[in-house]
Amino acid sequence: MRAGLCFGIAATLLSLAMPATAAEQARLRLIGEQRIPHRLVFDGTVVGGLSGIDYDARSGAWMMASDDRSEFSPARFYTARLDYDAAQFRQVRLEAVHLFRQADGSTYPAQGGEVADIEAVRVDPQDGSIWYASEGSGKLGLSPFVRQAAADGGYLAALPMPALFRDDPAHRRGPRNNLSFEGLAFAPDGRSLWLGMEAPLYQDGPVATPEHGAVSRFTQFDRSGKVLAQYAYPLDRVQGVPAAGRFGDNGVSEILVLDTRHLLALERSGVQDAAGHFAFHIRLYMVELDGATDVAGHPALAGADYQPLRKRLLLDLDAAGLDKVDNLEGMSWGPLLANGHRSLVMVSDDNFSDDEVTQLLAFELLPASD
């Protein structure tokens, strides 16, 4: 551990009037923005690729996981302090870095063995341990996984996964490469956790395009790995049209639990221009569990008869008034504000690219009466 490092930029206070369509007609108000300098070196590691974030209410610290496949530095997470209130987002201060460890105590390799691509991180509300999800690698034949670590990153356990999520070398079933486990969240009572897929399994249909959406799966597990429920989440189409020969996608980049019957889903659409630069379009949805079909018994959703989850737009970041909205992949509830309202923070994955930034956004959740 080293002495904390502070940095910050001025943040504009904006009030976003959200349509009164979400559960309890809540709204989000943007408090402000902070950025971490590009490829900052902290305690011998390169800061970037921050794809997961969570708040530890016991210590007041934040955990931020990198999806670096141990190419720049070993698979890791950072602890930090975020200084914000209802009026201003002032500062981000990194405190320490911890390396994720495999069962034998070694760090995850950059090649050979089980390469980790960590896309989500959560603090266990029961014991303060760390849970994290890797989306694996179809190119390397690695299945996605969810594991539990000690507060210092040491290996504790692995959550058993259904065969549905195992990599298929023939690419006829199972998760697609780089489109697998992306969201992770604990239920309010801490007895179960939700896992969100970024995009469809092969057998669930094609990925989203500029012309049509797609479907992914949200699965609820108990702490032993038993599947309690599984639902089909309807993805938007790609938000925009990529230049000829370039890339465009849309998928779920994070999930969060609001209450026992509602989730939040962060959808991230990335579209390349002719020069290969990405424009990101981010939308936050309120998701209602009531009325949706439990599809845990459906090995394939393509052609199946089911009722998907219902979702309602809570926030469109294109309308936030920010000079840049980047590749937002992490989302977490934060401490209650002085007025008793909940706070929410998002973080972006800069992909270690010179065209992208590590951006943190703080919000206030306003109840319907405000």
Side-chain angles (χ1 to χ4, degrees):
M1 181 174 178
R2 55 168 286 181
L5 182 64
C6 302
F7 43 85
I9 62 171
T12 302
L13 186 64
L14 296 171
S15 179
L16 303 181
M18 293 295 103
T21 57
E24 301 178 359
Q25 300 181 347
R27 296 175 295 131
L28 278 179
R29 181 180 67 85
L30 178 64
I31 296 171
E33 174 190 14
Q34 291 292 320
R35 296 183 185 179
I36 296 176
H38 185 57
R39 296 200 183 187
L40 174 75
V41 175
F42 176 80
D43 212 4
T45 68
V46 180
V47 180
L50 300 184
S51 57
I53 186 170
D54 204 25
Y55 175 68
D56 183 358
R58 291 180 177 85
S59 66
W62 293 78
M63 316 292 166
M64 298 186 292
S66 174
D67 69 358
D68 178 7
R69 298 186 181 189
S70 298
E71 295 175 353
F72 293 90
S73 306
R76 61 203 176 278
F77 69 93
Y78 298 90
T79 56
R81 300 283 168 171
L82 307 188
D83 180 10
Y84 66 85
D85 54 27
Q88 187 179 3
F89 190 0
R90 300 178 185 84
Q91 186 185 81
V92 178
R93 180 167 62 90
L94 296 179
E95 289 191 327
V97 59
H98 298 283
L99 306 183
F100 284 111
R101 303 280 176 174
Q102 301 183 91
D104 65 0
S106 64
T107 58
Y108 286 95
Q111 57 185 349
E114 191 162 32
V115 177
D117 187 351
I118 298 169
E119 297 291 347
V121 65
R122 293 296 173 202
V123 178
D124 191 317
Q126 294 189 356
D127 62 15
S129 61
I130 307 297
W131 293 68
Y132 60 101
S134 168
E135 65 178 348
S137 172
K139 292 182 178 179
L140 298 177
L142 301 175
S143 297
F145 63 74
V146 175
R147 290 179 181 165
Q148 183 184 17
D152 63 358
Y155 178 91
L156 291 179
L159 192 72
M161 283 290 117
L164 189 74
F165 296 128
R166 292 176 189 160
D167 179 72
D168 174 17
H171 304 309
R172 292 189 298 263
R173 307 185 64 80
R176 287 177 161 89
N177 181 59
N178 207 36
L179 295 174
S180 183
F181 296 172
E182 196 79 19
L184 188 67
F186 273 97
D189 62 7
R191 294 182 178 180
S192 64
L193 62 163
W194 287 87
L195 185 64
M197 292 283 294
E198 181 176 357
L201 298 169
Y202 280 107
Q203 67 269 29
D204 289 343
V207 297
T209 72
E211 292 74 36
H212 63 75
V215 63
S216 66
R217 298 195 190 216
F218 290 175
T219 308
Q220 185 181 23
F221 296 85
D222 72 9
R223 297 175 68 93
S224 70
K226 178 184 177 182
V227 174
L228 302 177
Q230 190 175 81
Y231 301 101
Y233 176 81
L235 288 161
D236 289 352
R237 63 177 179 81
V238 175
Q239 302 297 292
V241 179
R246 293 297 185 174
F247 180 78
D249 73 344
N250 183 64
V252 172
S253 63
E254 186 58 280
I255 61 172
L256 199 57
V257 173
L258 177 62
D259 55 39
T260 57
R261 302 311 302 166
H262 297 91
L263 307 177
L264 298 183
L266 193 65
E267 287 195 42
R268 181 269 326 276
S269 198
V271 180
Q272 280 185 312
D273 61 19
H277 303 302
F278 274 97
F280 294 101
H281 306 278
I282 312 294
R283 297 160 314 288
L284 181 63
Y285 285 98
M286 187 79 71
V287 182
E288 301 178 31
L289 299 178
D290 289 338
T293 303
D294 186 341
V295 298
H298 291 58
L301 296 182
D305 182 19
Y306 62 89
Q307 181 64 43
L309 292 163
R310 292 180 295 170
K311 66 180 188 179
R312 297 175 180 176
L313 184 65
L314 182 61
L315 177 66
D316 183 348
L317 268 295
D318 283 350
L322 293 160
D323 63 351
K324 183 180 182 67
V325 175
D326 216 276
N327 183 29
L328 294 169
E329 290 200 359
M331 176 172 63
S332 172
W333 296 116
L336 293 179
L337 301 172
N339 59 13
H341 295 170
R342 299 176 83 169
S343 67
L344 182 145
V345 172
M346 298 180 187
V347 67
S348 68
D349 172 1
D350 68 350
N351 290 306
F352 298 94
S353 167
D354 293 338
D355 295 329
E356 300 174 38
V357 300
T358 299
Q359 172 183 54
L360 292 99
L361 303 175
F363 297 87
E364 176 184 10
L365 184 68
L366 300 173
S369 59
D370 285 24

